[in-house]
């Protein structure tokens, strides 16, 4: 049995889920004043297919899918990017077979029949649905069952196994089991390294995912190393003008900021923001997330006016896409209030705090 997860998001100040963000906002509001170091910094991972939230606004989270070059590949990883996990689409049953090009099917495994394929797809679709609903324990249970079936039919060292391991790691991360999540991301990395090589996009995605968890654990130096390695691979594979490249660059900048390298952090985040604007547009939520992180860097550098202006632009995008009472909007407002307070304007900070309270009451 696993030990109970850490109950407080304060132990995970860069929690990626909207619920975690809402919790931080609520805790800040219950205190007499916003904590000076209590900014909310939600990391972003991969956003080339970012979408607006579906039925429930807080279901948006950070997940990404490793890509593969296989001709008959089933990709199910819900890893960590700024979009909803898609799972396997209903009615789109594709043949799950050994790709035949990389020798990744273990000897002695029994190939799946059509019913086996549908069963695995159903398990992963259920895991994706539970994830979207914020039911991470239920999602993890379905992913573990899918993992058992995948091992039975494809073996342990297969890209399908690596994909579902990524899913399990994400669910554990959302539950607060950071050590276990990091170990699973490392396991997925090793499978990708053995099967498709360390220059493959899926290996880079696993590097990125592990870096997000390592940063949550407070080890920004190791996170910088992992993000840097992922960035090098993504640049080689995709070129410089790519969304995944920009997202990794953005998160690398946040880690560099953690270590006090404010000039370098700002350079990385501004460069990432330019790419995101060109590739996704100025009204995209991922662009807004990068602007929010840049605002934190500007605040840390005591460039308060520039930070407040950046927060304001980010907030405008989020409100137009999500509505004023969405948790991501409240988190950006919280950051803006903290910036005003750090700049000595307690009246403006209190006004924003009151507005957050009103919006929480209306939600």
């Amino acid at each position: 049995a696993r030990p109970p997860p850490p109950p407080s998001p304060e132990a995970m100040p860069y929690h990626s889920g909207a619920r975690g963000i809402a919790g931080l906002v609520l805790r800040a509001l219950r205190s007499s004043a916003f904590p000076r170091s209590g900014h909310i910094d939600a990391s972003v991972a991969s956003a080339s297919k970012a979408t607006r939230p579906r039925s429930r606004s807080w279901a948006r989270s950070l997940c990404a899918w490793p890509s593969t070059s296989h001709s008959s590949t089933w990709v199910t990883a819900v890893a960590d990017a700024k979009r909803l996990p898609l799972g396997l689409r209903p009615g789109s049953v594709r043949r799950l077979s050994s790709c035949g090009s990389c020798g990744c099917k273990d000897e002695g495994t029994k190939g799946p029949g059509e019913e086996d394929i549908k069963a695995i797809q159903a398990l992963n679709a259920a895991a994706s649905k539970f994830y979207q609903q914020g039911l991470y324990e239920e999602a993890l249970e379905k992913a573990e069952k899918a993992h058992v079936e995948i091992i039975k039919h494809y073996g342990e060292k297969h890209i399908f196994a690596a994909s579902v391991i990524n899913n399990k790691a994400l669910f554990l991360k959302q539950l607060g089991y950071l050590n276990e999540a990091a170990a699973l991301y490392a396991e997925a990395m090793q499978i990708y390294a053995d099967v498709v090589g360390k220059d493959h996009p899926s290996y880079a995605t696993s590097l990125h995912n592990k870096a997000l968890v390592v940063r949550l654990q407070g080890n920004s130096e190791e996170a910088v190393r992992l993000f840097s390695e992922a960035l090098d691979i993504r640049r080689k594979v995709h070129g410089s003008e790519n969304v995944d490249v920009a997202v990794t660059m953005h998160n690398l900048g946040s880690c560099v900021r953690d270590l006090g390298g404010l000039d370098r952090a700002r350079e990385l985040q501004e460069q990432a923001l330019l790419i995101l604007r060109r590739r996704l547009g100025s009204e995209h939520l991922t662009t807004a997330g990068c602007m929010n992180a840049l605002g934190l860097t500007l605040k840390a550098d005591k460039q308060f006016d520039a930070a407040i202006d950046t927060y304001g632009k980010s907030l405008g995008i989020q409100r137009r896409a999500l509505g004023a009472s969405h948790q991501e909007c409240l988190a950006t407002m919280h950051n803006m209030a903290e910036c005003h307070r750090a700049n000595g304007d307690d009246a403006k900070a209190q006004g924003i705090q009151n507005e957050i309270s009103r919006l929480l009451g209306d939600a």
Side-chain angles (χ1 to χ4, degrees):
R2 297 186 183 90
S8 172
E10 278 88 0
M12 304 185 294
Y14 304 105
H15 191 277
S16 61
R19 281 182 163 180
I21 290 173
L24 286 170
V25 173
L26 284 167
R27 261 180 289 281
L29 289 172
R30 291 182 186 128
S31 65
S32 59
F34 283 116
R36 293 188 180 275
S37 60
H39 62 255
I40 300 170
D41 184 7
S43 298
V44 179
S46 181
S48 57
K49 296 182 181 179
T51 62
R52 287 190 58 181
R54 295 182 183 175
S55 58
R56 302 178 72 172
S57 61
W58 51 259
R60 285 187 72 255
S61 191
L62 306 179
C63 55
W65 300 49
S67 57
T68 67
S69 59
H70 298 68
S71 58
S72 179
T73 299
W74 173 55
V75 181
T76 61
V78 181
D80 287 328
K82 194 100 176 175
R83 75 167 193 222
L84 284 173
L86 300 179
L88 293 174
R89 299 177 185 277
S92 176
V93 178
R94 291 187 288 166
R95 180 70 185 174
L96 306 186
S97 62
S98 177
C99 61
S101 62
C102 65
C104 54
K105 187 177 189 302
D106 288 355
E107 293 296 327
T109 57
K110 180 184 177 182
E114 197 67 29
E115 292 304 313
D116 300 316
I117 294 169
K118 291 180 179 179
I120 296 171
Q121 288 177 324
L123 286 168
N124 280 275
S128 176
K129 181 179 179 180
F130 282 132
Y131 176 83
Q132 293 176 39
Q133 295 173 337
L135 301 174
Y136 304 126
E137 291 183 356
E138 290 83 350
L140 179 61
E141 180 183 354
K142 296 297 183 182
E144 287 177 337
K145 289 181 179 179
H147 194 192
V148 170
E149 293 301 311
I150 287 169
I151 290 174
K152 182 191 302 183
H153 297 294
Y154 298 99
E156 295 182 357
K157 299 293 184 180
H158 194 282
I159 55 169
F160 301 165
S163 292
V164 78
I165 289 169
N166 261 313
N167 288 351
K168 290 166 61 177
L170 173 61
F171 304 149
L172 287 167
K173 170 175 171 266
Q174 297 296 79
L175 288 167
Y177 297 108
L178 300 184
N179 291 338
E180 293 184 62
L184 285 179
Y185 280 137
E187 184 179 348
M189 283 170 53
Q190 189 58 56
I191 295 173
Y192 284 126
D194 293 342
V195 174
V196 294
K198 292 186 177 182
D199 58 348
H200 195 275
S202 293
Y203 181 78
T205 297
S206 291
L207 275 171
H208 188 119
N209 293 342
K210 186 178 179 183
L212 292 170
V213 174
V214 167
R215 187 185 178 213
L216 285 171
Q217 293 173 310
N219 190 350
S220 292
E221 290 185 358
E222 176 64 7
V224 165
R225 185 189 70 79
L226 293 169
F227 278 132
S228 297
E229 186 177 350
L231 181 60
D232 288 342
I233 297 170
R234 285 179 161 177
R235 277 175 169 162
K236 289 176 183 176
V237 173
H238 302 299
S240 297
E241 286 291 314
N242 176 266
V243 172
D244 288 343
V245 169
V247 167
T248 301
M249 193 182 302
H250 149 75
N251 283 299
L252 175 59
S254 293
C255 289
V256 171
R257 182 188 66 228
D258 295 343
L259 298 173
L262 299 181
D263 290 341
R264 176 59 176 157
R266 179 174 178 177
E267 178 185 350
L268 286 165
Q269 290 172 335
E270 287 180 340
Q271 188 175 352
L273 185 56
L274 287 174
I275 296 171
L276 291 173
R277 281 173 171 161
R278 286 194 292 264
R279 303 298 297 178
L280 298 177
S282 297
E283 288 292 310
H284 200 280
L285 289 169
T286 303
T287 304
C290 187
M291 293 173 69
N292 203 338
L294 176 59
L296 295 174
T297 301
L298 292 167
K299 173 179 176 286
D301 201 28
K302 300 188 185 304
Q303 299 184 46
F304 300 118
D305 290 340
I308 290 168
D309 180 65
T310 302
Y311 287 140
K313 292 176 181 177
S314 174
L315 181 60
I317 297 168
Q318 292 170 333
R319 281 181 166 174
R320 286 189 289 275
L322 303 170
S325 61
H326 191 275
Q327 286 92 337
E328 291 192 21
C329 298
L330 303 183
T332 301
M333 292 174 67
H334 170 77
N335 289 341
M336 187 182 295
E338 286 213 328
C339 197
H340 281 297
R341 194 175 297 280
N343 197 28
D345 196 336
D346 289 347
K348 284 188 177 178
Q350 187 62 49
I352 295 173
Q353 182 178 357
N354 293 340
E355 177 67 8
I356 294 174
S357 297
R358 185 189 67 78
L359 290 169
L360 283 170
D362 292 343

